[in-house]
Amino acid sequence: MSSGRLHLPALLLATACGAATGCADKDLGSDDGLDLRAPRIAVSSPARGTIVGDVSTVTVTGVVTDDDDQVASVTVNGVAAEVTATGAFTAEVPVGAGVALLAVTATDAAGNHATDTRAVLAGPTAPIDDPVPDAVVMGISDDTFVALGDVAAAWLTHGDLAPTLAPAGPLFEVGYSGPDDCLYARGRAGAMTVDGAAIDLFTRPGGLSLGATLTDVAVTLDLEYAAACLDGDTAITAHIGRLDLQGDLDVGIEDNRIAIALTSTNLDLAGLDVSFADIPVEVSDLVDLDTTLGPILSYAVERLLAPMIADALGDPGAPIELDVLGKHVTLELLPVQLDFDDDGAQVRIDTRVSTEGDDGASFVFVPNVVPGLAVEEGFVAALADDAMTQVMASFWAAGGLRYQLPLGGGAYGSIGVLFDEVRLEGLLPPTVNAHHDDGRLQVVFGDLLATFLAEGVPVTQVAINGAVDLAAERTEAGLRLGVGVPAVTIDVLDEVAGTNALDAETFEALLSFAAGRVVGMASDLVGELPLPAMDGVGSLELQVASTDGYVLLAGDVVR
């Protein structure tokens, strides 16, 4: 069966059917007196969606019954439970930080089994508005900055340079003290074109060194002037055959922003040609473009390179505004430490997130040991799972996992025929776990309740639990997190007295729908998270792995 968003393997459907409904593990094609009825499980504690706090184990209790009174075993996540003669059971189950799924499995003497799966949230917490320390850590090789210089050179020859040149005020002004002056000249940037460009960037202690060569440069200046107390304005164009610029880009952090300044510049112009037609000679005598153009062009190069370098170092320059499932999310990347040497750069970034309506919330936070990121070529970036968990918790606290979805029409197959609407409510915020043992990155969803309505009346309610793997993928916009096929179970709850009997086909359709919701929400949540990437700098053989609390991305640059 399939939903509008996902095709599930038959094996997953069969497994989940047995887990959620207590389907018998027997050949149903004959009736030779065998026991084909699975046990029944009633879990009394913990309740669905319980937040258990900073604990390492959870006590699971309940009662299991069987028509033939032949309960053979009860386990919770593989831990054997103590079972009394009346069927009451108790198990002490280890849990880690985050959403923990508790699968209670009861098996009778005939081998029939049933499963009840529910979730709790465990672990230490922090206020939702606290920054996540060292949420992003990057190591960037000298070669990567060389490639970034190539990207900047290509932009100079093909991009729109007018916004790069536009400063807050005039680029130069001579003789000007106010609008009533009788002789002055003021120049503002108009446009700039570059036919050829080569930019060399290489790292050094404290920042970068720069060497740039531009050929066939045309700079248009909007000139305001006065001569003999008569005001005027016009455009003048300066043509430069060749420009050579050397300097240092000092790179540091000021108020949690990457600050870049071009210093120690040495500039050489050749082949300068300027036309001052229709400008009074008194004004043209004021304008010495031989000395004026140097600072203008140095400014243009600095304005072009600064945001590219800052973005490569993980600082977009402003909070990132996202719209996720109708909720407005603000994500801040806050650089806190930056180190340069001859081999490259390393940067550490805190993150902070807020969603409208998440006031007073908290999230599961476990401080991580920052991994070593020595890199000889390309780049390595580490993204903390706590940062992604904070995004999930903020979104959940603002009601992002509580909404209604119309089902009418053909988009949802038989689900849209049986039910008119579904109301979804996540009892717990999803959490993200980076598994160091197998290199996986997972989003775990716990107790997502789906209440199905027909003609405005609730008729079926299920609890969805599961996990979905994440992986970095390359798109035209850069790197993003994508989602894989989820492992999902659903339990049909007795809180709603359903009028629609769930035959096997309907149950499989519900399971496929549930899996589609998990994939859809995971994709919408994590797909918007910006991953560290050098804008325009490609990578070969992007590698993804996990260590304790971090997902690692590594790639060699393409030049």
Side-chain angles (χ1 to χ4, degrees), residues 58 114 143 204 299 310 331 333 358 433 447 486 524 537 545 550:
V58 171
D143 285 345
R204 59 173 178 81
Y299 171 85
L331 177 64
L333 282 74
D358 70 357
N433 296 319
D447 286 331
D524 286 335
V537 177
Y550 283 92

Side-chain angles (χ1 to χ4, degrees), residues 131-138 140 253 256-258 310-316 332-338 346-352 382-384 387 532 550:
V132 175
D134 296 323
V136 182
V137 185
M138 290 191 293
I140 306 169
I253 296 174
N256 292 126
R257 294 269 76 93
I258 299 292
D311 189 57
L313 293 169
D315 181 9
E332 295 180 84
L333 282 74
L334 309 170
V336 293
Q337 183 175 331
L338 178 61
Q346 292 206 1
V347 60
R348 294 164 70 155
I349 299 170
D350 296 351
T351 61
R352 182 165 50 212
L383 182 62
Y550 283 92

Side-chain angles (χ1 to χ4, degrees), residues 28 64 98 104 116 164 174 247 257 262 284 297 351 389 404 408 458 484 530:
L28 300 183
V64 61
V104 181
D116 176 290
T164 300
V174 182
R257 294 269 76 93
L262 179 60
S284 61
L297 294 170
T351 61
T389 292
Q404 298 176 204

Side-chain angles (χ1 to χ4, degrees), residues 379-390:
F379 65 92
V380 178
L383 182 62
D385 55 9
D386 286 326
M388 291 177 277
T389 292
Q390 186 189 40

